[in-house]
Amino acid sequence: MNASKPALRRSLKSDLARVDAHVVKQGEYDDLPELTDDMLARAKVKRGGRPVSENPRKLLSIRLPVDVIERWKATGPGWQTRMADRLSKVR
């Protein structure tokens, strides 16, 4: 890493100053159809993000011996899910 070079800023790759300076003219939106009640009735709102889980998880803080954690970690990726599955079977 070269500390003498400044880090590059992320860019939106659009000219926001030009967009902000644009003034909407009278006939610019004449081609767009009028918004009707039928159009609004057919509209669907799509929410972003992950879907709601049927079996949501709850954050819990628990202290376990280091050797227990290391044995689970040694089983590879997904060890926390496998641990949760094993604990859910012990009822």
Side-chain angles (χ1 to χ4, degrees):
M1 184 169 149
N2 191 345
S4 64
K5 285 188 177 181
L8 295 176
R9 292 189 66 184
R10 289 189 178 216
S11 171
L12 295 175
K13 297 184 181 176
S14 65
D15 189 355
L16 295 180
R18 184 174 62 104
V19 172
D20 287 341
H22 177 72
V23 177
V24 179
K25 297 179 183 113
Q26 180 65 31
E28 263 185 322
Y29 295 110
D30 288 344
D31 294 339
L32 295 175
E34 285 293 321
L35 192 60
T36 64
D37 290 335
D38 183 47
M39 289 177 175
L40 291 173
R42 290 190 325 241
K44 293 181 183 177
V45 177
K46 292 188 178 183
R47 295 177 51 196
R50 295 181 75 157
V52 178
S53 174
E54 292 178 13
N55 186 14
R57 304 288 175 123
K58 184 173 181 175
L59 180 63
L60 174 70
S61 179
I62 182 172
R63 293 178 183 265
L64 297 171
V66 175
D67 62 320
V68 171
I69 297 169
E70 292 303 319
R71 270 187 277 153
W72 278 101
K73 281 186 178 181
T75 63
W79 66 271
Q80 290 141 319
T81 303
R82 287 192 298 278
M83 179 187 274
D85 290 342
R86 179 75 63 89
L87 288 171
S88 66
K89 289 177 184 174
V90 180
R91 291 184 190 220

